[in-house]
RNA sequence: GCGGACGUGGUGAAAUUGGUAUACACGCCAGACUUAGGAUCUGGUGCCGCAAGGCGUGGAGGUUCAAGUCCUCUCGUCCGCACCA
């Protein structure tokens, strides 16, 4: 028996690949290309099984395309800014930079031990100052084009820790670290105007329909949340105008149900609405009412969603734009400040929220859409119907009325058709040290000024102490002190750093030109490599990262940097790795350490198991004995290679072979055909290719022909190389001097059998099988089928005979 | 509530897209070799039944010569969004 020692083979090939730069793409831009990309990792310290799965999938795809003669870019890098580095600094007293770069060095070795065919020359970390430099340049260009702006925002603030907290860091209204109650605070921050691209981001989802999972497209569509309707102004009544000091004439509302306009019985403002604030500040409400409104304002938006409907009558009124009647104005906790002007027209009869609010505060309900199924005593009627009590629109169906009423408003110039999006602008400010500094300067005379391009990058100071309390850039003695690039007077640097999603929004472009110190990338390289042909990563990035990256690509296009509309043509969202039915996690203690698996069985076994146990899109349940099974298959593959006698693809006269030999040959080429198919149709169902290869090996065992064995190894090592590369390179080198890596033609004769087996079914139920010559006539086949199934045909009349060539015969009897 | 994905043996999963359901693997059972086996090899393994046979892709209907696959309804699991006017 030939020994299979994975550690020896794997080390040998990993070293050879590294030394020979085997996986660097060619500069020849005439070659057909494939850009295969996995989502880059955060350098948390050690790789986990999710990484192994992610990179094994993309590696198999990359290796396949290399064999097919493509120029393949399969890069790796590090998403290396972020909070865990600061947390480690607080906990272990390590500098975030040291911690991060040590982790990168360790994880790079771990990934190498998997035999991944990454380009080494294009690797970078997003915390490299060169990367920061170009990113800051992009941000400044966006500012110049109005795509970046500064405004005040309400944020979660922890007074004891002296920092802003992300929503995920607020647990039951308290700080995750010190347990102090979090307060909402208005703070200035930088925002990227992603909403300017809402329509294009929505429209271009169509371009991705072929290559992206439907689920992700739907999630993005919902997130962008386009809705079409009518926007108009509700004017304050004369006495209300006076009451609010003539500061306001009215407010805008947006509705998707203009057909219900005659059913408006009150209106409601968000607690943050300027009119509400005016009433509060000028003590125009009772003490109780003011307290109630303040309580609403202090409740975070996420909590309001689950809270009961609450409101306060503001004791002012507006005029209905069509009827001229007075309508009371309330403040309500369910009205969102950031959407549709922060105010709604309320139609309790035809909107469930409005109905609940009206029920609670005893407000009138006017039915204007009639339907037999409607029961307004129980709930609002939101379905179709006919308009009633709607002046000249009475009698129209509500879908006709929508259009008619919008046109009516436009004709009178008192309202207009409007499109609203749920998508909000992207707040990128983080009061954190370990991130890319936002390259702006606050000048007492010039205001907000971008840093001069020639001064970039604005880098982080190394001499900081990370305590977790406050932003170290803020407390650093000198860092933020600078000169205004415009007037050269003393000025202060912005101390916030950028959200790490900014870095991951353009890293795929940086890979196109290997580590150019002069520019972010070369235009011609991007033109050649982009878009990414296959992107592989977790479903958890379905919205944020994938939406931001799509936006960034479009924005950089419009800034003149690139000529690409969509960054990722095809997307594969891999399933999670589970153990005992739950996601592997340290806290659950159900992790399997990739290093230990590689040490015990080798990388090829780990890769084989991961690709065989489930299709890549599905969840993968870890199974120790199935890992063992994968190892045994490789060992058997190595062992049986002793049957190979030829050093090249042998010529075989198919007709001269025995039945078993023919079957073995057929199975081998079926596996090859399957392999080609899964890449072409982008299903990447490696599990079926591996199963086909196992079937072929089983069929080979039933015969002894050395030529058949030789041919089989020539083919099987070719198609298994993407999955178990080390052992395939080893065997291929020894047996065929690697001449079998490349395109292999499938001889069609192997699929032509001497005889074929047809199923015979009676009334669709399988009763027997017949073996016939492939060229036998339909009549003879039917005759034979009837003969063999005579038992089932006794005392019956055949009413129909169906013959599906190569498949079956169906006899329909009565 | 809205949207999406998915329900196939004891388990992970196949099924050329309407044509022989359960390939391949794990597990289990039996046997061979062996001092031994948690190694290796061989065979068996959907369910009920002694058998003939019957029943089987979450459930109920339907279309069809033929349905895991198409249609309608329904139950269940998972995921995303969630007071978006």
């Amino acid at each position: 028996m030939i020994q299979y020692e994975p550690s020896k083979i794997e080390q040998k090939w990993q070293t050879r690949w590294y030394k020979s730069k085997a996986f660097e793409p060619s500069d020849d831009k005439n070659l057909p290309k494939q850009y295969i990309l996995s989502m880059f990792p955060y350098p948390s310290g050690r790789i986990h099984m999710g990484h192994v799965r992610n990179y094994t999938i993309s590696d198999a795809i990359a290796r396949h395309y290399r064999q097919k003669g493509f120029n393949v870019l399969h890069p790796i890098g590090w998403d290396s800014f972020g909070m865990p580095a600061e947390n480690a600094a607080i906990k272990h007293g390590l500098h975030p930079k040291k911690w991060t770069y040590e982790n990168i060095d360790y994880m790079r070795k771990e990934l190498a031990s998997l035999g991944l065919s990454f380009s080494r020359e294009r690797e970078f970390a997003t915390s490299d100052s060169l990367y920061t430099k170009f990113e800051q340049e992009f941000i400044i260009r966006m500012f110049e084009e109005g795509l970046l702006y500064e405004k005040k925002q309400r944020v979660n603030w922890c007074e004891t820790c002296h920092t802003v907290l992300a929503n995920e860091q607020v647990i039951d209204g308290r700080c995750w670290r010190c347990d102090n109650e979090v307060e909402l605070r208005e703070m200035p921050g930088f925002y990227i105007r992603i909403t300017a691209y809402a329509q294009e981001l929505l429209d271009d989802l169509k371009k991705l329909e072929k290559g992206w999972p439907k689920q992700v497209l739907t999630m993005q569509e919902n997130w962008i949340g386009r809705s079409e309707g009518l926007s108009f102004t509700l004017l304050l009544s004369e006495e209300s105008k006076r009451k609010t000091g003539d500061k306001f004439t009215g407010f805008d509302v947006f509705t998707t149900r203009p057909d219900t306009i005659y059913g408006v019985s009150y209106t409601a403002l968000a607690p943050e609405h300027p009119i509400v604030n005016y009433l509060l500040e000028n003590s125009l409400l009772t003490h109780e009412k003011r307290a109630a409104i303040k309580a609403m304002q202090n409740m975070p938006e996420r909590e309001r969603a689950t809270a009961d409907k609450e409101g306060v009558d503001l004791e002012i009124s507006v005029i209905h734009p069509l009827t001229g009647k007075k309508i009371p104005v309330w403040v309500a906790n369910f009205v969102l400040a950031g959407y549709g002007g922060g105010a709604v027209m309320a139609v309790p009869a035809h909107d469930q929220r409005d109905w609940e609010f009206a029920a609670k505060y005893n407000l009138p309900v006017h039915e204007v859409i009639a339907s037999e199924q409607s029961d307004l005593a129980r709930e609002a009627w939101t379905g179709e119907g006919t308009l009633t009590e709607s002046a000249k629109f009475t009698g129209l169906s509500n879908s006709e009325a929508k259009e008619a009423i919008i046109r009516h408003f436009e004709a009178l110039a008192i309202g207009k058709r409007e499109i609203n999006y749920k998508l909000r602008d992207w707040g990128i400010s983080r009061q954190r040290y370990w991130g890319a500094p936002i390259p702006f300067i606050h000048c007492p005379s010039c205001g907000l000024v971008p840093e001069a391009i020639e001064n970039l990058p604005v880098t982080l100071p190394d001499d900081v102490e990370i305590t977790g309390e406050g932003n170290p850039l803020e407390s650093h003695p000198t860092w933020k002190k600078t000169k205004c690039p415009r007037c050269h007077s003393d000025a202060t640097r912005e101390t916030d750093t950028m959200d790490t999603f900014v870095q991951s929004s353009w890293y795929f472009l940086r890979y196109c030109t290997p580590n150019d110190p002069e520019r972010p990338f070369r235009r011609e390289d991007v033109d050649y490599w982009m878009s990414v042909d296959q992107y592989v990563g977790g479903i958890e990035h379905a919205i944020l990262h994938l939406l931001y990256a799509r936006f960034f690509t479009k924005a950089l296009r419009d800034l003149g940097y690139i000529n690409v509309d969509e960054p990722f043509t095809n997307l594969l969202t891999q399933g999670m790795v589970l153990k005992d039915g739950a996601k592997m996690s340290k806290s659950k203690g159900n992790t399997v350490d990739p290093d230990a698996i590689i040490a015990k069985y080798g990388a090829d076994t780990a890769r084989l198991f991961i690709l065989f146990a489930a299709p890549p899109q599905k969840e993968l349940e870890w199974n120790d004995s199935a890992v063992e099974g994968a190892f045994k298959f490789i060992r058997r593959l190595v062992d049986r290679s002793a049957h190979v006698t030829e050093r090249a693809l042998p010529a075989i006269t198919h007709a001269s072979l025995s039945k078993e030999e023919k079957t073995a040959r057929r199975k081998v080429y079926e596996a090859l055909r399957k392999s080609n198919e899964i890449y072409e149709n982008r299903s990447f169902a490696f599990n079926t290719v591996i199963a086909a290869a196992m079937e072929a090996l089983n069929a080979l065992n039933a015969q002894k022909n050395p030529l058949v064995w030789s041919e089989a190894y020539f083919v099987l090592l070719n198609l298994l190389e993407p999955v178990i590369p080390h052992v395939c390179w080893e065997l291929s080198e020894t047996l065929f001097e690697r001449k079998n890596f490349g395109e292999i033609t499938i001889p069609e004769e192997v699929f032509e059998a001497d005889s074929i087996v047809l199923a015979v079914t009676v009334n669709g139920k399988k009763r027997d099988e017949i073996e016939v010559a492939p060229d036998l006539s339909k009549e003879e086949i039917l005759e034979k089928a009837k003969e063999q199934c005579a038992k089932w045909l006794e005392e019956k009349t055949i009413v129909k005979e169906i013959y599906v060539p190569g498949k079956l015969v169906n006899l329909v009897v009565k």
Side-chain angles (χ1 to χ4, degrees), chain A residues 522-802:
Chain A
R522 279 204 307 259
R523 181 66 175 259
E524 70 224 66
D525 293 333
V526 172
D527 286 347
Y528 175 68
W529 286 113
M530 287 296 285
S531 300
V532 173
D533 295 281
Q534 187 63 56
Y535 199 28
V536 183
I539 185 81
E540 65 273 21
H541 295 108
I543 294 176
L544 295 176
H545 162 57
L546 290 169
L547 193 66
Y548 294 148
R550 291 182 62 218
F551 159 76
F552 234 81
T553 301
K554 292 174 191 301
L556 290 180
R557 175 201 63 197
D558 293 345
L559 291 172
Y561 283 99
I562 57 174
N563 188 26
V564 184
D565 293 326
E566 283 292 336
F568 315 121
T569 311
N570 295 290
L571 171 69
L572 188 160
T573 48
Q574 89 203 52
M576 285 189 306
V577 184
L578 311 179
K579 179 116 198 287
D580 310 319
K583 185 182 180 175
M584 279 191 188
S585 75
K586 271 185 219 157
S587 57
K588 288 198 199 82
N590 62 344
T591 54
V592 176
D593 176 22
D595 292 350
I597 294 294
I598 293 166
K600 189 168 177 193
Y601 299 104
D604 283 338
T605 294
R607 297 171 59 124
L608 179 64
F609 166 74
I610 277 190
L611 295 181
F612 181 54
Q617 299 83 352
K618 271 190 98 164
E619 289 179 338
L620 180 142
E621 175 71 33
W622 191 264
N623 180 332
D624 287 326
S625 39
V627 176
E628 194 87 31
F631 179 77
K632 285 177 191 169
F633 171 75
I634 299 175
R635 196 170 56 187
R636 210 155 52 233
L637 184 76
V638 172
D639 182 52
R640 305 287 148 85
S641 70
H643 294 292
V644 175
T645 54
E646 307 303 302
R647 305 275 293 164
L649 189 68
I652 294 177
T653 315
H654 194 64
S656 69
L657 298 179
S658 73
K659 200 175 165 182
E660 288 74 21
E661 290 163 352
K662 282 180 179 168
T663 306
R665 273 198 98 193
R666 196 188 77 231
K667 292 276 186 191
V668 166
Y669 283 104
E670 274 174 3
L672 181 57
R673 198 163 61 176
K674 187 92 210 166
S675 171
N676 288 332
E677 198 181 292
I678 66 146
Y679 299 100
E680 270 159 33
N681 68 18
R682 296 203 174 260
S683 71
F684 303 116
F686 300 104
N687 53 327
T688 63
V689 175
I690 296 162
M694 287 172 168
E695 264 187 83
L697 197 63
N698 291 345
L700 282 161
N701 273 325
Q703 58 81 51
K704 290 201 180 77
N705 188 330
L707 293 185
V708 173
W709 273 107
S710 301
E711 180 193 39
Y713 266 71
F714 196 91
V715 174
L716 291 178
L717 295 178
N718 167 290
L719 67 94
L720 287 172
E721 188 269 344
V723 179
I724 44 173
H726 307 90
V727 73
C728 286
W729 280 64
E730 177 70 16
L731 289 176
S732 175
E733 167 125 310
T734 324
L735 302 174
F736 308 113
E737 293 160 328
R738 297 209 319 265
K739 288 197 191 88
N740 62 325
F741 288 169
E743 181 83 52
I744 297 176
T745 318
I746 299 175
E748 286 304 318
E749 56 170 11
V750 300
F751 302 120
E752 292 158 14
D754 298 337
S755 65
I756 50 170
V757 176
L758 298 174
V760 183
T761 61
V762 179
N763 287 348
K765 215 162 258 180
K766 190 188 169 188
R767 292 306 183 185
D768 211 337
E769 282 178 351
I770 52 172
E771 192 170 352
V772 297
D775 54 353
L776 201 65
S777 74
K778 181 180 175 183
E779 288 69 29
E780 286 171 289
I781 286 169
L782 287 172
E783 200 48 47
K784 197 165 178 189
K786 282 181 226 173
E787 223 170 85
Q788 214 154 315
C789 284
K791 178 180 164 189
W792 305 98
L793 306 173
E794 278 168 28
E795 296 174 28
K796 308 266 172 156
T797 332
I798 298 176
V799 294
K800 202 165 185 180
E801 295 166 347
I802 285 151

Side-chain angles (χ1 to χ4, degrees), chain A residues 63 104 122 160 319-320 326 353 451 569 656 758 813:
Chain A
R63 285 175 179 272
I104 289 174
R122 293 169 192 250
T160 33
I319 306 298
H320 190 290
K326 278 189 193 169
R353 287 176 313 246
E451 179 59 277
T569 311
S656 69
L758 298 174
V813 301

Side-chain angles (χ1 to χ4, degrees), chain A residues 441-449 480 482-493:
Chain A
I441 287 151
H442 301 276
C443 170
S445 40
C446 306
L448 186 68
V449 182
K480 68 178 177 184
T482 187
K483 301 282 180 200
C484 171
R486 201 167 288 162
C487 70
H488 308 290
S489 58
D490 285 345
T492 323
R493 278 194 192 287

Side-chain angles (χ1 to χ4, degrees), chain A residues 400-452:
Chain A
E400 291 167 330
K402 264 183 200 174
E403 271 305 303
I405 291 174
I406 290 176
R407 278 201 298 271
H408 184 64
F409 269 86
E410 289 189 324
L412 296 175
I414 53 169
K416 61 178 196 301
R417 190 184 302 275
E418 193 172 281
I419 292 156
N420 261 304
Y421 301 91
K422 289 186 201 171
L423 185 70
R424 312 282 177 88
D425 278 341
W426 172 17
I428 59 159
S429 291
R430 298 291 179 268
Q431 292 70 26
R432 289 280 160 189
Y433 165 76
W434 190 235
I438 297 175
F440 283 84
I441 287 151
H442 301 276
C443 170
S445 40
C446 306
L448 186 68
V449 182
E451 179 59 277

Side-chain angles (χ1 to χ4, degrees), chain A residues 503-523:
Chain A
Q503 283 95 67
S504 53
S505 290
W506 69 281
Y507 76 109
F508 43 88
L509 296 169
R510 177 74 178 157
Y511 286 140
C512 293
T513 305
N515 295 320
D516 191 325
E518 303 296 327
R519 350 155 230 212
F521 38 74
R522 279 204 307 259
R523 181 66 175 259

Side-chain angles (χ1 to χ4, degrees), chain A residues 24 32 36 124 267 278 282 360 369 374 437 472 491 588 746 768:
Chain A
E24 297 306 328
I36 311 296
F124 60 83
T267 69
Y278 181 88
N282 293 279
K360 179 165 179 180
I369 309 285
S374 170
K588 288 198 199 82
I746 299 175
D768 211 337

